[in-house]
Coordinates of all heavy atoms in Angstrom, one line a residue:
A1054 N 106.7 96.5 84.6 CA 105.4 96.6 83.9 C 105.7 96.2 82.4 O 106.5 97.0 81.8 CB 104.8 97.9 84.0
D1056 N 103.1 95.2 80.4 CA 101.7 94.9 80.1 C 101.1 96.0 79.2 O 99.8 96.2 79.2 CB 100.9 95.0 81.5 CG 101.0 96.3 82.1 OD1 102.0 97.1 81.9 OD2 100.1 96.7 82.9
R1065 N 104.4 102.0 70.2 CA 105.9 102.2 70.6 C 106.7 101.5 69.5 O 107.8 102.0 69.1 CB 106.1 101.6 71.9 CG 105.4 102.5 73.0 CD 105.8 102.3 74.4 NE 104.9 103.1 75.2 CZ 104.5 102.9 76.4 NH1 104.9 101.8 77.1 NH2 103.7 103.8 77.0
I1099 N 104.4 92.3 85.2 CA 103.0 92.5 84.9 C 102.8 92.2 83.4 O 103.4 92.8 82.5 CB 102.5 93.9 85.2 CG1 102.9 94.3 86.6 CG2 100.9 93.9 85.1 CD1 102.6 95.8 86.9
K1129 N 97.7 92.6 83.9 CA 96.8 93.8 83.8 C 95.4 93.4 83.5 O 95.2 92.6 82.6 CB 97.3 94.7 82.7 CG 96.5 96.0 82.5 CD 96.1 96.1 81.0 CE 97.0 96.9 80.1 NZ 97.4 98.2 80.6
K1168 N 96.9 94.3 88.1 CA 97.0 95.7 88.0 C 95.8 96.4 87.3 O 95.2 95.8 86.4 CB 98.3 96.1 87.2 CG 98.5 97.6 87.3 CD 99.6 98.0 86.2 CE 98.9 98.5 85.0 NZ 99.9 99.1 84.0
R1170 N 94.7 100.4 86.1 CA 95.2 101.8 86.0 C 94.1 102.8 85.8 O 93.3 102.6 84.8 CB 96.2 101.9 84.9 CG 96.7 103.3 84.6 CD 97.8 103.3 83.5 NE 98.3 104.6 83.1 CZ 98.0 105.1 81.9 NH1 97.2 104.5 81.1 NH2 98.5 106.3 81.6
E1209 N 96.5 101.4 90.9 CA 97.2 102.5 90.2 C 96.3 103.7 89.8 O 95.7 103.7 88.7 CB 97.9 101.9 88.9 CG 98.7 103.0 88.1 CD 99.4 102.4 86.9 OE1 99.1 101.3 86.5 OE2 100.2 103.2 86.3
E1211 N 96.8 107.1 88.4 CA 97.9 107.9 87.9 C 97.4 109.4 87.6 O 96.6 109.6 86.7 CB 98.4 107.3 86.6 CG 99.4 108.2 85.9 CD 100.1 107.5 84.7 OE1 99.7 106.4 84.3 OE2 101.0 108.2 84.1
K1251 N 100.3 101.9 93.5 CA 101.2 102.3 92.4 C 100.8 103.7 92.0 O 100.0 103.9 91.1 CB 101.0 101.3 91.2 CG 101.8 101.7 90.0 CD 101.9 100.6 89.0 CE 102.6 101.0 87.7 NZ 103.0 99.9 86.8
L1292 N 104.9 104.4 89.4 CA 105.0 104.3 87.9 C 106.0 105.4 87.4 O 106.3 106.3 88.2 CB 103.6 104.6 87.3 CG 102.9 106.0 87.7 CD1 103.2 107.0 86.6 CD2 101.5 105.8 87.9
S1293 N 106.5 105.3 86.2 CA 107.4 106.3 85.7 C 106.7 107.4 84.9 O 107.2 108.5 85.0 CB 108.6 105.7 84.9 OG 108.1 105.0 83.8
G1294 N 105.7 107.1 84.2 CA 104.8 108.1 83.6 C 105.3 108.9 82.5 O 104.8 110.0 82.2
G1295 N 106.5 108.5 82.0 CA 107.1 109.4 80.9 C 108.4 110.1 81.3 O 108.9 110.8 80.5
S1323 N 107.6 100.4 89.8 CA 106.8 99.5 88.9 C 106.8 100.2 87.6 O 105.8 100.7 87.1 CB 105.4 99.3 89.4 OG 104.6 98.5 88.5
Y1324 N 108.0 100.2 87.0 CA 108.2 101.0 85.8 C 108.0 100.2 84.5 O 108.4 99.0 84.5 CB 109.6 101.6 85.7 CG 110.0 102.6 86.8 CD1 111.3 102.7 87.2 CD2 109.0 103.3 87.5 CE1 111.7 103.7 88.1 CE2 109.4 104.2 88.5 CZ 110.7 104.4 88.8 OH 111.1 105.3 89.8
A1325 N 107.5 100.8 83.5 CA 107.5 100.2 82.1 C 108.5 100.9 81.3 O 109.6 100.5 81.1 CB 106.1 100.3 81.5
R1326 N 108.2 102.1 80.8 CA 109.1 102.9 79.9 C 110.5 103.1 80.6 O 111.5 103.0 79.9 CB 108.5 104.2 79.5 CG 107.4 104.0 78.5 CD 106.5 105.3 78.3 NE 105.7 105.4 79.5 CZ 104.8 106.4 79.6 NH1 104.7 107.3 78.7 NH2 104.0 106.5 80.7
A1327 N 110.5 103.5 81.9 CA 111.8 103.8 82.5 C 112.7 102.6 82.7 O 113.9 102.8 83.0 CB 111.5 104.5 83.8
Ligands
13P136 P1 105.3 103.7 82.9 O1 106.3 103.4 84.0 O2 105.8 103.7 81.5 O3 104.5 104.9 83.3 O4 104.2 102.5 83.0 C1 103.8 102.1 84.2 C2 102.5 101.4 84.0 O5 102.4 100.2 84.3 C3 101.4 102.2 83.5 O6 100.2 101.5 83.7

Side-chain angles (χ1 to χ4, degrees):
D1056 61 333
R1065 293 192 184 150
I1099 314 171
K1129 177 231 272 305
K1168 185 194 98 172
R1170 172 175 178 254
E1209 181 179 8
E1211 175 175 4
K1251 176 166 174 168
L1292 59 94
S1293 60
S1323 177
Y1324 297 156
R1326 284 164 288 181

